Amino acid sequence: MKKSTKILGLGAALSLLAVPAFAQETAEYTQFILNSLLFLIGGFLVFWMAAGFTMLEAGLVRSKNVTMQLTKNMALFSLAGIVYYLLGYNLMYPLGNWSIGTDGTGGYLGAFGVAVLEAVGVGPDGVDDLSYASTGSDFFFQLMFAAATASIVSGTLAERIKLWPFLIFTVILTGLIYPIQASWKWGGGFLDSQLGFLDFAGSTVVHSVGGWAALAGALVLGPRLGRYTKEGRVVPFPGSNLPLATLGTFILWMGWFGFNGGSQLAMGTIGDVADISRIFANTNTAAMGGALAALVATQLLYKKPDLTMILNGALAGLVSITAEPLTPTLGEATLIGAAGGVIVVFAVPFLDKLKIDDAVGAIPVHLFAGIWGTIAVLFTNPDATIKGQFLSIIIVGVFVFVVSYIVWTILKLTVGIRVSEEDEITGLDMAELGMEAYPDFTRS
Amino acid sequence: MKKSTKILGLGAALSLLAVPAFAQETAEYTQFILNSLLFLIGGFLVFWMAAGFTMLEAGLVRSKNVTMQLTKNMALFSLAGIVYYLLGYNLMYPLGNWSIGTDGTGGYLGAFGVAVLEAVGVGPDGVDDLSYASTGSDFFFQLMFAAATASIVSGTLAERIKLWPFLIFTVILTGLIYPIQASWKWGGGFLDSQLGFLDFAGSTVVHSVGGWAALAGALVLGPRLGRYTKEGRVVPFPGSNLPLATLGTFILWMGWFGFNGGSQLAMGTIGDVADISRIFANTNTAAMGGALAALVATQLLYKKPDLTMILNGALAGLVSITAEPLTPTLGEATLIGAAGGVIVVFAVPFLDKLKIDDAVGAIPVHLFAGIWGTIAVLFTNPDATIKGQFLSIIIVGVFVFVVSYIVWTILKLTVGIRVSEEDEITGLDMAELGMEAYPDFTRS
Amino acid sequence: MKKSTKILGLGAALSLLAVPAFAQETAEYTQFILNSLLFLIGGFLVFWMAAGFTMLEAGLVRSKNVTMQLTKNMALFSLAGIVYYLLGYNLMYPLGNWSIGTDGTGGYLGAFGVAVLEAVGVGPDGVDDLSYASTGSDFFFQLMFAAATASIVSGTLAERIKLWPFLIFTVILTGLIYPIQASWKWGGGFLDSQLGFLDFAGSTVVHSVGGWAALAGALVLGPRLGRYTKEGRVVPFPGSNLPLATLGTFILWMGWFGFNGGSQLAMGTIGDVADISRIFANTNTAAMGGALAALVATQLLYKKPDLTMILNGALAGLVSITAEPLTPTLGEATLIGAAGGVIVVFAVPFLDKLKIDDAVGAIPVHLFAGIWGTIAVLFTNPDATIKGQFLSIIIVGVFVFVVSYIVWTILKLTVGIRVSEEDEITGLDMAELGMEAYPDFTRS
């Protein structure tokens, strides 16, 4: 920890004529710092979502599969980050260097190459983009989005998928699928330039992508043993640790302030900070709306509030507001979130009716509410077009679902993606890892 | 995530004469941004306290009531936020538009109406108060305080109160009781203007309010079955998950930096940031003092340190410093917190002697230490007056306790507030919700 | 919460001649604010690490010792903070007032006296160092490092050490051992001035110090009963709650952004914020590298991934990058972290072979990876010298290990440091504290 003078080096005799430039430069520098700071704060908050997904999933699976779920989450997060560095970042943000397409015509495939940060102790002339933020802060922030996408998948496929094939899929998802489609919007690609698609922080670009990949996986993988009886009954597999699942939800909620707030991409002006404030308030109230809607809906439908629905309702509220957390009023944001909560309450049994087994409800939360949120942009942002929103939902959905389905199928046919029946009944923790999550407690 | 130039639009030929104004405006704008940023950071930290309360309470109740405690906390937080938006915010901060009273004579009842944020992309001329912070950031921050107040109540009444009546009380507490009394001090009402009451971040305005409401509820609701024997013995109901309770305490501690630090309300000057630094350091050391005092006190009294007392001691230290985290020295702050920790160690058995059953110790922590903290302002802040502090403690206490007592009584006489004896013995999780918190572990 | 005008008081008629000074001062003030803000954010993140250590340790010990581990962590953190205030801060940062030595010749023993913060509402003329940051923010940040050092020790010695002797050691560690050796580098002492030792955020100064103290304790205290059989077999004592241990790891990972990022010590220039961004990105990728390396290594060695190794691998990655998180590229940082992860996988069984019983693996993570990280500075920072790095590792190691060993031995010979055999078998929770961590669950 060095300690040295940090003040801008100023010539001792600052001439009067230099003043305008000095004042203006100072303003510019301060904005660069504040923009970068937004990414750093936003980034550690989105990082925190990795812990949220992990706790949520560990709480919602049965105790015999908890160690595996923890292992998967640690591994996928770490892998996603490194793959995003090696491949994803420049695929997603080619800065004009498209492999296929151009900024003008609309890009389709970004640039290949590892991420490179600015040099140590860089000055105003050395930064990549003085009007934006430091590349390191941007990279740090964006990396967390790629990892979040992968986290979504691990929940759905819990309790029966093999570790290593899952990790191979994670590499493809975070290194290719996610960044390529993200470049179409956030890298300035064709969805952005040709369709005017609006997705502020990723209801589609992040959440539905994770959801589509999870859906493809669930179809190829099949439901957990004993989940659906021959008579068509759905056997509940209650989560083993609801405080943990609740903690995970709170963590995700907290992280979402960084997810949506950081996506303003700037904090150096009054307008930007006021916008971030709106985003924070709207993001929060959408989660509240989602939680309350699920509370009321389950009370009405089942005569009993259902905590796991309330948790997923809050998350669905968050996903729903993510495509446009800025333009809604507080009331509108609450309603958008509440609709997301209602979607979850109906979508969970709907998927079960189709025998699509989603261990934690990630498809309703991230895919269905993600689509809803992307459509809801139309209600509050006049710049959104029906064509731009719907076409983009479809294009991204088809791309991600088809590619994911193919990859899952190849994995299934080659290395295999599912543990043996015996191992599944024993539980992945003892069968695959030889390590119980709660060795002192579980009934044996 | 749009990416565009964020620099203040400057005329290409910035004339020399415009410089003073430009430099001054830049300074003003930067202060607005930093003030807003303080609220955003403070806000997500206080948000995090909702998770802290939830984990603390889930850890301190018996395993058969954990799902209910989680459900209550998720629901109360969500409800509090929406009610605060609909009603609380303008009741608390009428900005001069008092329904009863004026800023001059002292206000008694604030304004009615929903909260309205600044427009999207607002400029310096469009913000509500350029010398303060963005309204969205202030709303986000203040909302979390209302929710924290409600969280306090849920702990005390755990393990026997019905969900829906509790939520009705939450609506009244966060929509009316809390904001009305808060307006008396923080909205510039009569406690502030007439009595010169000092309560920096809410030892009285937040914590004792939650505590009074909890006390009224505990009296109307009665103790848990089997808690006090006819022979006058207190039966311990040990918390089911102490790591969770400890985690909750750490989360609350962390959130308190936002709670107290954010209450400086500004970060744009050297004086403000140095003050926030003092507040962070003092808040931290008060918690440390409270924890250590409880450790030593339980060792001396019972020959064994008591972890739940240590946790509550830390929290009591935090509550104690909240009325004045700025003026004490580090040593004084440590002692103020330590006194809070000692209060808890004596108050918990004292309440039991009175057969007032507080499932988590929230009344000692938030009410007793809250009163102590409000009095302690007199020792370090020369602006505090004995009359101002004591009278305000009494006025707020009487108002909140009486109104709460009436509301609880009405709820008791109408919808009923207590679950059946049978349900209480079974546990609220299975009886009311049909969902165990730890289905794989609990002895059955 | 006062609400008042926060804008710099400006004379109404700001003369043109005052402009240069005004613009320059504003820039200076903004930098002071941003530097202080870095410490405040960094500080609450490093605070959060206390929760991380607590959860990690509570998850890795057996359920019969969990309450004790929670109690120890709450107590040590609180004690460390108060001792650091009373003694540590000025010993560590004598600001030239060395008790032995001078800045010029190299200081050896800092100043004695309690920490004193700047006055309330201080102006630019009243701050201790306008070119740095507010003293309160610096104190807050530095205090958390002292506490982290003590946290490392508690893990290693878990499940058999007595509470109070452990706390006495904590006082000596955080009040004397840690700050004295830290002053040699970060206070400008002889390791810094004479040897040019480089340790950016404390691979040696914090982590190896905790590790050496833990190693000394483990040797004096001996292994847990039944851990090593006479036949030389190592009996696994599986951690009782792996989700908790995983949560602890994520918390530590998150806190590390503050730990390393805050150690840049300034955020007021473009160069500083870009550097902090590099540090965040590098810190993160090193943890990812460590986790993945441990995943792959355990898969290859044991044919099964080992979650506790993966967790410790991530932590070892973090420790490894701590001595130099700034100069490496992303690729280098990943490899430095990965090497840390591999070290852990080999070091854990190696320690067991020596019958050195480390309940949570803190010695491999903090000592071995700490040494590795300090050496790794040589690969990426041209200012590092082989002599400076190795000699400093040895000097700090010898000092901390020898003094710790003596203190542990004195404690052993006087008050005793180990619980009785019977108590150890029963578990410290019931034997020493009379309070189970999970009373509703544990098999009895």
Side-chain angles (χ1 to χ4, degrees), chain C residues 103-120:
Chain C
D103 276 358
T105 64
Y108 299 93
L109 183 69
F112 288 88
V114 304
V116 178
L117 308 183
E118 283 143 339
V120 174

Short mmCIF file of all heavy atoms in Angstrom, two decimals, chain C residues 103-120:
data_model
loop_
_atom_site.label_atom_id
_atom_site.label_comp_id
_atom_site.label_asym_id
_atom_site.label_seq_id
_atom_site.Cartn_x
_atom_site.Cartn_y
_atom_site.Cartn_z
N ASP C 103 12.27 7.19 9.95
CA ASP C 103 11.94 6.93 8.56
C ASP C 103 13.21 6.83 7.72
O ASP C 103 13.30 6.00 6.81
CB ASP C 103 11.07 8.08 8.01
CG ASP C 103 9.59 7.87 8.34
OD1 ASP C 103 9.26 6.83 8.95
OD2 ASP C 103 8.77 8.75 8.01
N GLY C 104 14.16 7.68 8.05
CA GLY C 104 15.39 7.72 7.27
C GLY C 104 16.19 6.42 7.40
O GLY C 104 16.52 5.76 6.41
N THR C 105 16.49 6.05 8.63
CA THR C 105 17.31 4.86 8.85
C THR C 105 16.50 3.58 8.73
O THR C 105 17.06 2.49 8.63
CB THR C 105 17.93 4.89 10.27
OG1 THR C 105 16.84 4.83 11.23
CG2 THR C 105 18.70 6.17 10.50
N GLY C 106 15.19 3.73 8.76
CA GLY C 106 14.34 2.52 8.79
C GLY C 106 13.80 2.33 10.19
O GLY C 106 14.55 2.20 11.15
N GLY C 107 12.47 2.37 10.34
CA GLY C 107 11.86 2.24 11.67
C GLY C 107 11.68 0.79 12.06
O GLY C 107 11.52 -0.08 11.20
N TYR C 108 11.72 0.54 13.36
CA TYR C 108 11.57 -0.83 13.87
C TYR C 108 10.40 -0.96 14.84
O TYR C 108 9.81 -2.02 14.95
CB TYR C 108 12.86 -1.28 14.57
CG TYR C 108 14.04 -1.28 13.64
CD1 TYR C 108 14.88 -0.18 13.53
CD2 TYR C 108 14.30 -2.39 12.84
CE1 TYR C 108 15.95 -0.17 12.66
CE2 TYR C 108 15.37 -2.40 11.96
CZ TYR C 108 16.20 -1.29 11.87
OH TYR C 108 17.23 -1.29 10.99
N LEU C 109 10.10 0.11 15.57
CA LEU C 109 8.99 0.06 16.52
C LEU C 109 8.26 1.39 16.46
O LEU C 109 8.86 2.45 16.66
CB LEU C 109 9.49 -0.21 17.95
CG LEU C 109 8.40 -0.35 19.00
CD1 LEU C 109 7.59 -1.64 18.78
CD2 LEU C 109 9.00 -0.34 20.40
N GLY C 110 6.96 1.34 16.19
CA GLY C 110 6.17 2.54 15.96
C GLY C 110 5.87 3.33 17.23
O GLY C 110 6.59 3.24 18.24
N ALA C 111 4.78 4.10 17.17
CA ALA C 111 4.43 5.02 18.26
C ALA C 111 3.35 4.39 19.14
O ALA C 111 2.53 3.60 18.69
CB ALA C 111 3.93 6.32 17.67
N PHE C 112 3.36 4.76 20.40
CA PHE C 112 2.33 4.29 21.32
C PHE C 112 1.30 5.38 21.55
O PHE C 112 1.65 6.55 21.68
CB PHE C 112 2.97 3.84 22.64
CG PHE C 112 3.73 2.56 22.51
CD1 PHE C 112 5.08 2.56 22.14
CD2 PHE C 112 3.10 1.34 22.70
CE1 PHE C 112 5.79 1.37 21.98
CE2 PHE C 112 3.79 0.14 22.56
CZ PHE C 112 5.14 0.16 22.20
N GLY C 113 0.05 5.01 21.61
CA GLY C 113 -1.02 5.98 21.82
C GLY C 113 -2.28 5.57 21.08
O GLY C 113 -2.19 4.86 20.07
N VAL C 114 -3.41 5.98 21.56
CA VAL C 114 -4.67 5.60 20.93
C VAL C 114 -4.87 6.37 19.63
O VAL C 114 -4.31 7.45 19.44
CB VAL C 114 -5.88 5.84 21.86
CG1 VAL C 114 -5.70 5.13 23.19
CG2 VAL C 114 -6.11 7.32 22.07
N ALA C 115 -5.69 5.82 18.77
CA ALA C 115 -6.01 6.47 17.51
C ALA C 115 -6.92 7.67 17.76
O ALA C 115 -7.84 7.60 18.57
CB ALA C 115 -6.71 5.49 16.57
N VAL C 116 -6.65 8.75 17.06
CA VAL C 116 -7.48 9.96 17.19
C VAL C 116 -7.94 10.38 15.80
O VAL C 116 -7.11 10.54 14.89
CB VAL C 116 -6.68 11.11 17.84
CG1 VAL C 116 -7.53 12.38 17.91
CG2 VAL C 116 -6.21 10.71 19.23
N LEU C 117 -9.22 10.54 15.64
CA LEU C 117 -9.77 10.94 14.34
C LEU C 117 -9.79 12.45 14.21
O LEU C 117 -9.63 13.18 15.19
CB LEU C 117 -11.18 10.38 14.19
CG LEU C 117 -11.34 8.88 14.45
CD1 LEU C 117 -12.77 8.44 14.21
CD2 LEU C 117 -10.36 8.08 13.61
N GLU C 118 -9.99 12.91 12.99
CA GLU C 118 -10.14 14.34 12.77
C GLU C 118 -11.41 14.85 13.46
O GLU C 118 -12.35 14.09 13.72
CB GLU C 118 -10.23 14.63 11.27
CG GLU C 118 -8.87 14.56 10.58
CD GLU C 118 -8.94 13.97 9.19
OE1 GLU C 118 -9.93 13.26 8.91
OE2 GLU C 118 -8.03 14.21 8.40
N ALA C 119 -11.46 16.14 13.73
CA ALA C 119 -12.62 16.72 14.40
C ALA C 119 -13.86 16.62 13.51
O ALA C 119 -13.77 16.37 12.32
CB ALA C 119 -12.33 18.18 14.73
N VAL C 120 -15.00 16.84 14.12
CA VAL C 120 -16.26 16.84 13.37
C VAL C 120 -16.29 18.03 12.42
O VAL C 120 -15.86 19.13 12.77
CB VAL C 120 -17.45 16.92 14.35
CG1 VAL C 120 -18.77 17.06 13.59
CG2 VAL C 120 -17.48 15.71 15.26
#
